């Protein structure tokens, strides 16, 4: 396995040893990972082997011809439709392994085919799946806060985006931002501020202004495992681009810089999609950090990771 980080957000690429997810569309294989192998996700990403915020990228045989690899992204608690920082990390990792060179490549994700352009050893432009806004300025009632308006948008995952954030989007405020966005996500899902087919919100984006010259804004992004994205979140930026385009606040091809709550940056632009949404382009940098092999033995009481309720008791850790 190979670990990298993209703007501070870690990606663990799992080259082999994962569960057999069969063949067929990547979305079906992702459902099998979520339904049948949650212990795998916790064992490889959770403590003590993983770290908070780590996203896994489980390599799969490709679905489409001409694709470098299939991939399923997941965090400790959820299988993701797509992952922007993980795609940048995967591109840099594949280059590190000598599997791709500079230029254009395609990967298969559960959300669809995604293009990666490797610009140099660290820099990747991701051309994401078509992203769209489905509700504008939808009002929800957040307990202990009150009425809040936000947009619901899809960028490969489902987002509730609040612009502007009622709390300052600053690194010193991360615990309060986390607590608030968990309540926002619960309220959005409970009050039906969800996707067209009832898809639940899995991420929340709180938007603040950027203070550095040339920076369009800074964001805080809550992820499904209740941590925050250290990077500006590629799928969150895709959802944001869909909202900016729908509000005619950004023209096709114009580039903006989005900063994360810890100050890492992506360059963003879009082209119109064929179904009324946008095709986002996200450019960021990743760095390979480690090449290693995880070891799970029956004697290790924490071979399945540290479960929130009962440490060391989960029976189905991977072996070998
Ligand atoms: O970059 O899309 C992203 C992402 C999703 C969850 C963590 N990062």
């Amino acid at each position: 396995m190979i670990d990298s980080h993209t703007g501070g957000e870690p990606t663990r690429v799992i080259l082999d040893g994962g569960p057999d997810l069969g063949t067929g569309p990547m979305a079906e294989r992702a459902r099998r990972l979520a339904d049948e192998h949650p212990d795998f996700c916790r064992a490889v990403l959770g403590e003590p082997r993983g770290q908070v915020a780590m996203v896994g990228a489980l390599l799969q045989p490709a679905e489409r011809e001409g694709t470098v690899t299939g991939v399923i992204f997941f965090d400790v608690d959820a299988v993701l439709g797509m992952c922007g920082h993980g795609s940048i990390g995967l591109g840099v990792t594949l280059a590190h392994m000598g599997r791709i060179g500079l230029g254009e490549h395609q990967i298969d994700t559960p959300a669809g085919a995604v293009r990666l352009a490797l610009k140099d050893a660290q820099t990747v432009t991701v051309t994401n799946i078509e992203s769209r806004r489905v509700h504008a300025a939808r009002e929800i009632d957040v307990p202990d806060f009150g009425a809040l308006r936000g947009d619901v948008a899809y960028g490969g995952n489902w987002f509730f985006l609040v612009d502007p954030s009622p709390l300052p989007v600053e690194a010193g405020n991360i615990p309060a931002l986390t607590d608030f966005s968990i309540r926002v996500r619960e309220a959005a899902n409970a009050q039906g501020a969800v996707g067209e087919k009832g898809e639940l919100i899995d991420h929340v984006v709180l938007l603040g202004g950027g203070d550095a010259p040339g920076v369009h804004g800074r964001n805080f992004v809550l992820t499904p495992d209740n941590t925050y994205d250290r990077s500006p979140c590629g799928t969150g930026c895709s959802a944001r681009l869909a909202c900016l385009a729908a509000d005619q606040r950004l023209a096709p091809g114009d580039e903006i810089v989005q900063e994360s709550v810890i100050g890492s940056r992506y360059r963003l632009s879009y082209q119109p999609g064929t179904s009324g949404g946008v095709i986002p382009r996200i450019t960021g940098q990743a760095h390979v950090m480690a090449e290693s092999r995880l070891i799970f033995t029956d004697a290790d009481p924490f071979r399945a990771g540290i479960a929130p309720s009962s440490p060391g008791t989960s029976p189905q850790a991977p072996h070998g």
Side-chain angles (χ1 to χ4, degrees), residues 248-305:
Q248 298 184 338
R249 289 171 63 195
L250 187 70
D254 283 1
E255 194 172 76
I256 56 172
V257 174
Q258 177 69 55
E259 199 170 67
S260 75
V261 68
I262 65 158
S264 50
R265 293 179 185 177
Y266 287 161
R267 288 188 289 127
L268 312 178
S269 64
Y270 74 90
Q271 289 298 328
T274 52
S275 308
V278 301
I279 306 292
R281 282 165 62 85
I282 301 137
T283 302
Q285 297 202 313
H287 299 270
V288 170
M289 302 187 287
E291 291 182 25
S292 54
R293 179 170 166 260
L294 295 179
I295 296 172
F296 301 93
T297 64
D298 288 343
D300 179 351
F302 294 105
R303 63 189 179 279

Side-chain angles (χ1 to χ4, degrees), residues 6 9-10 53 55 73 75 80 82-88 128 155 157 159 203 221-225 228-238 266:
T6 308
E9 180 78 353
V55 165
F73 295 108
D75 72 16
L80 304 172
M82 221 307 268
C83 180
H85 94 266
S87 299
I88 295 169
N128 197 6
N157 297 301
F159 290 84
H203 294 65
V221 183
L222 178 78
T223 56
D225 53 2
Y228 70 95
D229 198 330
R230 278 69 173 156
S231 82
C233 188
T235 51
C237 288
S238 301
Y266 287 161

Side-chain angles (χ1 to χ4, degrees), residues 25-27 30 63-64 67 69-73 80-83 87 90 106-116 128-129 154 156:
M26 215 54 66
E63 183 184 329
R64 297 171 181 84
T67 298
T69 184
V71 60
I72 300 171
F73 295 108
L80 304 172
M82 221 307 268
C83 180
S87 299
L90 175 61
Q106 181 169 291
I107 57 172
D108 284 332
T109 77
V114 167
R115 289 208 312 278
L116 306 183
N128 197 6
I129 48 93
Y154 177 72

Side-chain angles (χ1 to χ4, degrees), residues 131-251:
S131 301
R132 62 192 190 279
R133 179 167 76 180
V134 302
H135 299 298
R138 172 68 205 261
E139 188 172 303
I140 56 172
D141 183 48
V142 181
D144 299 327
F145 177 80
L148 178 77
R149 283 183 188 278
D151 290 356
V152 174
Y154 177 72
N157 297 301
W158 283 96
F159 290 84
F160 191 85
L161 300 99
V162 183
D163 182 15
S165 166
L167 307 181
V169 180
E170 288 166 6
N173 218 12
I174 285 170
L177 290 161
T178 305
D179 175 68
F180 180 68
S181 27
I182 291 172
R183 284 186 285 130
V184 169
R185 186 179 55 204
E186 283 170 359
N189 285 330
Q191 294 164 38
V194 295
E196 304 103 323
K197 295 187 182 147
E199 298 94 337
L200 294 178
I201 300 296
D202 36 42
H203 294 65
V204 172
V205 181
L206 304 176
L207 291 144
D211 355 276
V215 172
H216 189 260
R218 189 184 306 134
N219 68 17
F220 171 89
V221 183
L222 178 78
T223 56
D225 53 2
N226 288 346
T227 182
Y228 70 95
D229 198 330
R230 278 69 173 156
S231 82
C233 188
T235 51
C237 288
S238 301
R240 169 71 168 158
L241 285 167
C243 297
L244 289 172
D247 288 334
Q248 298 184 338
R249 289 171 63 195
L250 187 70

